[in-house]
Amino acid sequence: MERIDNVFYSYANKSSGLIDPEGIEALCSDLEVDHTDVRILMLAWKMKSEKQGYFTLEEWRRGLKALRADNVHKLKKALPELEKEVKRPTNFVDFYSYAFQYCLTGNEKEKQKSIDIESICQLLDLALGFQFRSQVDYFIDYLKIQSDYKVINLDQWMGFYRFCNEINFPGLSNYDPELAWPLILDNFVEWLREKQT
Amino acid sequence: MEIELEQGWEIVLRGFNKLKNIVEGLPEPQFTSEDYMKLYTTVYTMCTQKPPHDYSQQLYDRYRESIEDYITSTVLPSLREKHDEFMLRELVKRWTNHKVMVRWLSRFFHYLDRYFIARRSLSPLNEVGLTCFRNLVYLELNGKVRDAVISLIDQEREGEQIDRALLKNILDIFVEIGMGQMDYYENDFEDAMLKDTAAYYSRKASNWIQEDSCPDYMLKAEECLKREKERVSHYLHSSSEPKLLEKVQNELLSVYGNQLLEKEHSGCHALLRDDKVNDLSRMFRLFSKIPRGLEPVSSIFKQHVTGEGTALVKQAEDAASNKKSVGLQVFVRKVIELHDKYLAYVSDCFQNHTLFHKALKEAFEIFCNKGVSGSSSAELLATFCDNILKKGGSEKLSDEAIEETLEKVVKLLAYISDKDLFAEFYRKKLARRLLFDKSANDDHVTDLTLARENQTSFEEYLGNNANANPGIDLTVTVLTTGFWPSYKSFDLNLPVEMVKCVEVFREFYQTKTKHRKITWIYSLGTCNLIGKFEPKTMELIVTTYQASALLLFNTADRLSYSEIMAQLNLTDDDVVRLLHSLSCAKYKILIKDPNTKTISPTDSFEFNTKFTDKMRRIKIPLPPVDEKKKVIEDVDKDRRYAIDASIVRIMKSRKTLCHQPLVMECVAQLGRMFKPDIKAIKKRIEDLISRDYLERDKDNPNLFRYLA
């Protein structure tokens, strides 16, 4: 435990007692991964980190204990295993939903409920791109050209994951707009079908 | 005294022979009561003697045998030698005789009926007598008889005179021979008669459908049905009527129904086109009798009305593209006339049948919701009403006529899905009518009455406070915000002269009330200006906007577009509109440089000192801003609220509900006002999820939960 804490303090900001964006930047360079790498998001998920860009001591302990790492070297070695864990279907939904909530800004009282299109596109690419490359690419294209939505909420975010899992792609033969799909997906499918003809 | 069998039978037989002679019409004195008493007593005695001298059984058997004997020896030979109608006549005669005979005989043997037969549950004498005829005569001849009857019926159908009474009597035999059952009539006659009828009309119809026009064919069909009905009343059994008519209708109407309705130059389409109301009424009467017969008729009716309506839309489109604005007014008129016309068809020709009401409704819904050259029907109807109701509108109608026309508009409104849009347009136009005193009927609007009282007291105030007087006559209409449509306010930089007016009024108003805030709506104001032109001084009646623009030229000779815009603080749209009215329209109070027909931001303007007109007083109209876009936006916004409210209402009572039933219930709730777009509903659901009114069920993504 002491060693885990020592590693924490080596990255933490002295005055706030947290690992802040600067600390994470340093951690990333020691781990030899980019700070926009999906593995950092996975690490945050493992720690159940609440605020984007910050790790608390409690979160740090929770994550590193679970990964059985008490130094940076071990942490680095644990990353491939973490990646496998996340990709297990039972964990992935949780991770995907976490990714959205992690990116919401604002404090607890006035927490945002939705994320702007530009950030959503980056997040999709990061969190879902390696699973559903083609769906994600098309959806990002669509989000960028459409003008009906400026933000995306959690329901729409989760709806897209369900879409990727349930709908034939690119055939779309089993997509039924009569069902309760979020409207943004109806519009997406309409756009895709128009493109295809 | 005992009677032996043969001795007694001798007596009975004598009576029987006498009876035969009478029935055959041979010279024979009538039965006297002594004769009758003797016969009865003989039978009675023979039946009441002690065994073995009780001859009841023997008498019963001999009764039948002697009738059989009579039939074989006399009746059958006389029938066999005759044919066709003669055979029929003979049969009627023989049957009548037979009944008479059996009746008499049963009287002679009456004692048998009372005791022997009753005790042993044997067939009664009358029945035995008739059964003899059935077994021996009827069974042999019924086929021949049936054919002869059917052949006579066919002759009658071809227009020949036949002996109806004879047929009636023959067919009565078929009925009576059943002794209470209809089986003989139905199986031995009716079946074949119905088959023949079908074959007969099938032949007829196949010719008629080739040769006759639809109206002629229908006339024939109706006549045939009438004749067949008469036929039943003349000689067939009444139970045959529905079966017979069904056959005829089937052959004449069901089989050729579509061919008949679709006849190119005379079918249903043509009848509607040529307004052949009598033929259409006949068509309804005929086709209402066959199963599902009216469906194709109503569907053609719907097509026809839709076509007529669509043609009106097209006409109005053409008129509109030729810039004839009256076109739209005429269009509504014509749609009303169209509705009047075909509603009368539904009630008169089609007897108010629901299928035709439905067809009319669906047809009107199709073309009434199309809109004409960018204007929705909701807007057209609102404009139409406005024109009728405003003073000096293009339509000059009596109060009754107005009332009647409005009622017709309301009927059309039922076909329009955007009723809310109509209401909003109508409200805007009503406000305009009331404010500009254009309404023919505004006594009841309290707000306006109050505003007038207010003006009177303002004038008193000015009278009492001479120093407050702005030097300009000012009339202010103070209205309650919520009662009226919303208007843009505070958008104009008022000229100083008018700023003074506003201040004076505000001071006055504060003496009356402390807690009310006045919002000035300059866009609805009018001004009377004195224009000192070189030829003569004139009075100009203009809007406050126009007046503000003109007053700028009191202190400047020439102003550019952008200077005017900056000084008035108005949008491009407003500036273009009012400068156009002052420099490019009928009265050119301003000279525009360059002198073109449209306003551009690089133009400059000068006061036209040379301007004059033969009148001393002129009104310079400023075309109102096109409110359409704003109305549509307002309505869209209202619809969003209405859908939200509806979804929340539904979910509040249901707690959880699947997507489809939620959408359906929402559509049903709102249908009275407008037809909500399914996408719009989905969008609102999405939004309500964002706002935590709803959530999607974790396991069933089609299910929503209400979050209290």
mmCIF file of all heavy atoms in Angstrom, chain B residues 44-62:
data_model
loop_
_atom_site.group_PDB
_atom_site.id
_atom_site.type_symbol
_atom_site.label_atom_id
_atom_site.label_comp_id
_atom_site.label_asym_id
_atom_site.label_seq_id
_atom_site.Cartn_x
_atom_site.Cartn_y
_atom_site.Cartn_z
ATOM 1 N N TYR B 44 -120.421 -46.936 -37.806
ATOM 2 C CA TYR B 44 -120.434 -46.954 -36.338
ATOM 3 C C TYR B 44 -120.727 -48.347 -35.816
ATOM 4 O O TYR B 44 -119.997 -48.881 -34.982
ATOM 5 C CB TYR B 44 -121.473 -45.946 -35.846
ATOM 6 C CG TYR B 44 -121.730 -46.003 -34.347
ATOM 7 C CD1 TYR B 44 -120.868 -45.344 -33.464
ATOM 8 C CD2 TYR B 44 -122.806 -46.725 -33.839
ATOM 9 C CE1 TYR B 44 -121.091 -45.417 -32.094
ATOM 10 C CE2 TYR B 44 -123.028 -46.807 -32.483
ATOM 11 C CZ TYR B 44 -122.166 -46.139 -31.604
ATOM 12 O OH TYR B 44 -122.385 -46.212 -30.255
ATOM 13 N N THR B 45 -121.753 -48.966 -36.366
ATOM 14 C CA THR B 45 -122.150 -50.294 -35.913
ATOM 15 C C THR B 45 -121.029 -51.288 -36.155
ATOM 16 O O THR B 45 -120.679 -52.074 -35.277
ATOM 17 C CB THR B 45 -123.416 -50.760 -36.645
ATOM 18 O OG1 THR B 45 -124.332 -49.680 -36.645
ATOM 19 C CG2 THR B 45 -124.029 -51.989 -36.002
ATOM 20 N N MET B 46 -120.439 -51.248 -37.364
ATOM 21 C CA MET B 46 -119.398 -52.212 -37.724
ATOM 22 C C MET B 46 -118.183 -52.088 -36.814
ATOM 23 O O MET B 46 -117.440 -53.026 -36.603
ATOM 24 C CB MET B 46 -118.974 -52.036 -39.177
ATOM 25 C CG MET B 46 -120.034 -52.527 -40.175
ATOM 26 S SD MET B 46 -119.623 -52.056 -41.846
ATOM 27 C CE MET B 46 -118.471 -53.362 -42.262
ATOM 28 N N CYS B 47 -118.003 -50.895 -36.275
ATOM 29 C CA CYS B 47 -116.826 -50.672 -35.431
ATOM 30 C C CYS B 47 -117.111 -50.976 -33.967
ATOM 31 O O CYS B 47 -116.175 -51.103 -33.167
ATOM 32 C CB CYS B 47 -116.343 -49.227 -35.528
ATOM 33 S SG CYS B 47 -115.707 -48.821 -37.134
ATOM 34 N N THR B 48 -118.346 -50.997 -33.594
ATOM 35 C CA THR B 48 -118.649 -51.136 -32.177
ATOM 36 C C THR B 48 -119.136 -52.538 -31.806
ATOM 37 O O THR B 48 -119.406 -52.799 -30.636
ATOM 38 C CB THR B 48 -119.707 -50.113 -31.752
ATOM 39 O OG1 THR B 48 -120.778 -50.191 -32.671
ATOM 40 C CG2 THR B 48 -119.144 -48.713 -31.718
ATOM 41 N N GLN B 49 -119.265 -53.440 -32.829
ATOM 42 C CA GLN B 49 -119.655 -54.819 -32.530
ATOM 43 C C GLN B 49 -118.546 -55.521 -31.778
ATOM 44 O O GLN B 49 -117.377 -55.192 -31.925
ATOM 45 C CB GLN B 49 -119.958 -55.559 -33.847
ATOM 46 C CG GLN B 49 -121.187 -55.021 -34.505
ATOM 47 C CD GLN B 49 -121.385 -55.526 -35.926
ATOM 48 O OE1 GLN B 49 -122.503 -55.586 -36.370
ATOM 49 N NE2 GLN B 49 -120.339 -55.885 -36.630
ATOM 50 N N LYS B 50 -118.942 -56.503 -30.947
ATOM 51 C CA LYS B 50 -117.950 -57.238 -30.171
ATOM 52 C C LYS B 50 -117.087 -58.063 -31.110
ATOM 53 O O LYS B 50 -117.587 -58.564 -32.121
ATOM 54 C CB LYS B 50 -118.661 -58.186 -29.192
ATOM 55 C CG LYS B 50 -119.443 -57.475 -28.108
ATOM 56 C CD LYS B 50 -118.885 -57.865 -26.762
ATOM 57 C CE LYS B 50 -119.260 -56.951 -25.628
ATOM 58 N NZ LYS B 50 -120.192 -55.880 -25.841
ATOM 59 N N PRO B 51 -115.806 -58.246 -30.801
ATOM 60 C CA PRO B 51 -114.971 -59.136 -31.612
ATOM 61 C C PRO B 51 -115.593 -60.534 -31.637
ATOM 62 O O PRO B 51 -116.211 -60.910 -30.616
ATOM 63 C CB PRO B 51 -113.619 -59.159 -30.895
ATOM 64 C CG PRO B 51 -113.652 -58.000 -29.962
ATOM 65 C CD PRO B 51 -115.067 -57.677 -29.682
ATOM 66 N N PRO B 52 -115.481 -61.224 -32.705
ATOM 67 C CA PRO B 52 -114.703 -60.926 -33.907
ATOM 68 C C PRO B 52 -115.470 -60.106 -34.926
ATOM 69 O O PRO B 52 -115.081 -60.046 -36.090
ATOM 70 C CB PRO B 52 -114.421 -62.326 -34.462
ATOM 71 C CG PRO B 52 -115.657 -63.093 -34.098
ATOM 72 C CD PRO B 52 -116.157 -62.535 -32.794
ATOM 73 N N HIS B 53 -116.556 -59.472 -34.484
ATOM 74 C CA HIS B 53 -117.366 -58.720 -35.467
ATOM 75 C C HIS B 53 -117.036 -57.230 -35.501
ATOM 76 O O HIS B 53 -117.721 -56.454 -36.100
ATOM 77 C CB HIS B 53 -118.854 -58.965 -35.191
ATOM 78 C CG HIS B 53 -119.207 -60.416 -35.231
ATOM 79 N ND1 HIS B 53 -119.191 -61.164 -36.416
ATOM 80 C CD2 HIS B 53 -119.535 -61.297 -34.252
ATOM 81 C CE1 HIS B 53 -119.499 -62.420 -36.159
ATOM 82 N NE2 HIS B 53 -119.704 -62.553 -34.828
ATOM 83 N N ASP B 54 -115.968 -56.885 -34.805
ATOM 84 C CA ASP B 54 -115.475 -55.482 -34.889
ATOM 85 C C ASP B 54 -114.661 -55.374 -36.176
ATOM 86 O O ASP B 54 -113.582 -55.983 -36.309
ATOM 87 C CB ASP B 54 -114.610 -55.177 -33.652
ATOM 88 C CG ASP B 54 -113.949 -53.820 -33.744
ATOM 89 O OD1 ASP B 54 -114.091 -53.141 -34.795
ATOM 90 O OD2 ASP B 54 -113.276 -53.426 -32.763
ATOM 91 N N TYR B 55 -115.190 -54.601 -37.154
ATOM 92 C CA TYR B 55 -114.512 -54.551 -38.461
ATOM 93 C C TYR B 55 -113.709 -53.263 -38.654
ATOM 94 O O TYR B 55 -113.463 -52.839 -39.787
ATOM 95 C CB TYR B 55 -115.545 -54.716 -39.587
ATOM 96 C CG TYR B 55 -116.262 -56.060 -39.515
ATOM 97 C CD1 TYR B 55 -117.619 -56.141 -39.281
ATOM 98 C CD2 TYR B 55 -115.515 -57.243 -39.660
ATOM 99 C CE1 TYR B 55 -118.252 -57.365 -39.208
ATOM 100 C CE2 TYR B 55 -116.143 -58.468 -39.568
ATOM 101 C CZ TYR B 55 -117.513 -58.542 -39.349
ATOM 102 O OH TYR B 55 -118.116 -59.748 -39.241
ATOM 103 N N SER B 56 -113.295 -52.657 -37.570
ATOM 104 C CA SER B 56 -112.567 -51.370 -37.670
ATOM 105 C C SER B 56 -111.350 -51.481 -38.602
ATOM 106 O O SER B 56 -111.187 -50.680 -39.537
ATOM 107 C CB SER B 56 -112.066 -50.939 -36.290
ATOM 108 O OG SER B 56 -113.144 -50.731 -35.433
ATOM 109 N N GLN B 57 -110.496 -52.457 -38.327
ATOM 110 C CA GLN B 57 -109.264 -52.599 -39.124
ATOM 111 C C GLN B 57 -109.608 -52.792 -40.594
ATOM 112 O O GLN B 57 -109.016 -52.131 -41.469
ATOM 113 C CB GLN B 57 -108.469 -53.802 -38.586
ATOM 114 C CG GLN B 57 -107.129 -54.011 -39.319
ATOM 115 C CD GLN B 57 -106.137 -52.867 -39.066
ATOM 116 O OE1 GLN B 57 -105.907 -52.490 -37.910
ATOM 117 N NE2 GLN B 57 -105.612 -52.288 -40.133
ATOM 118 N N GLN B 58 -110.576 -53.621 -40.873
ATOM 119 C CA GLN B 58 -110.936 -53.881 -42.261
ATOM 120 C C GLN B 58 -111.446 -52.611 -42.932
ATOM 121 O O GLN B 58 -111.077 -52.304 -44.085
ATOM 122 C CB GLN B 58 -112.020 -54.969 -42.343
ATOM 123 C CG GLN B 58 -111.507 -56.370 -42.053
ATOM 124 C CD GLN B 58 -111.522 -56.729 -40.573
ATOM 125 O OE1 GLN B 58 -111.510 -55.833 -39.702
ATOM 126 N NE2 GLN B 58 -111.529 -58.036 -40.259
ATOM 127 N N LEU B 59 -112.258 -51.863 -42.204
ATOM 128 C CA LEU B 59 -112.792 -50.629 -42.793
ATOM 129 C C LEU B 59 -111.665 -49.635 -43.088
ATOM 130 O O LEU B 59 -111.643 -48.981 -44.133
ATOM 131 C CB LEU B 59 -113.812 -49.995 -41.848
ATOM 132 C CG LEU B 59 -115.181 -50.639 -41.841
ATOM 133 C CD1 LEU B 59 -116.063 -49.991 -40.778
ATOM 134 C CD2 LEU B 59 -115.864 -50.534 -43.206
ATOM 135 N N TYR B 60 -110.759 -49.546 -42.141
ATOM 136 C CA TYR B 60 -109.620 -48.631 -42.291
ATOM 137 C C TYR B 60 -108.832 -49.002 -43.550
ATOM 138 O O TYR B 60 -108.487 -48.148 -44.371
ATOM 139 C CB TYR B 60 -108.730 -48.715 -41.047
ATOM 140 C CG TYR B 60 -107.580 -47.725 -41.014
ATOM 141 C CD1 TYR B 60 -107.831 -46.362 -40.932
ATOM 142 C CD2 TYR B 60 -106.255 -48.170 -41.064
ATOM 143 C CE1 TYR B 60 -106.777 -45.469 -40.887
ATOM 144 C CE2 TYR B 60 -105.200 -47.273 -41.025
ATOM 145 C CZ TYR B 60 -105.464 -45.907 -40.937
ATOM 146 O OH TYR B 60 -104.414 -45.011 -40.900
ATOM 147 N N ASP B 61 -108.538 -50.297 -43.733
ATOM 148 C CA ASP B 61 -107.784 -50.740 -44.898
ATOM 149 C C ASP B 61 -108.564 -50.504 -46.188
ATOM 150 O O ASP B 61 -108.017 -50.019 -47.177
ATOM 151 C CB ASP B 61 -107.455 -52.236 -44.788
ATOM 152 C CG ASP B 61 -106.483 -52.502 -43.642
ATOM 153 O OD1 ASP B 61 -105.815 -51.507 -43.213
ATOM 154 O OD2 ASP B 61 -106.397 -53.641 -43.162
ATOM 155 N N ARG B 62 -109.872 -50.864 -46.147
ATOM 156 C CA ARG B 62 -110.652 -50.744 -47.378
ATOM 157 C C ARG B 62 -110.846 -49.282 -47.777
ATOM 158 O O ARG B 62 -110.995 -48.982 -48.966
ATOM 159 C CB ARG B 62 -112.001 -51.437 -47.211
ATOM 160 C CG ARG B 62 -111.822 -52.952 -47.257
ATOM 161 C CD ARG B 62 -113.137 -53.667 -47.204
ATOM 162 N NE ARG B 62 -112.900 -55.091 -47.119
ATOM 163 C CZ ARG B 62 -113.816 -56.009 -47.469
ATOM 164 N NH1 ARG B 62 -115.001 -55.649 -47.899
ATOM 165 N NH2 ARG B 62 -113.546 -57.299 -47.352
#
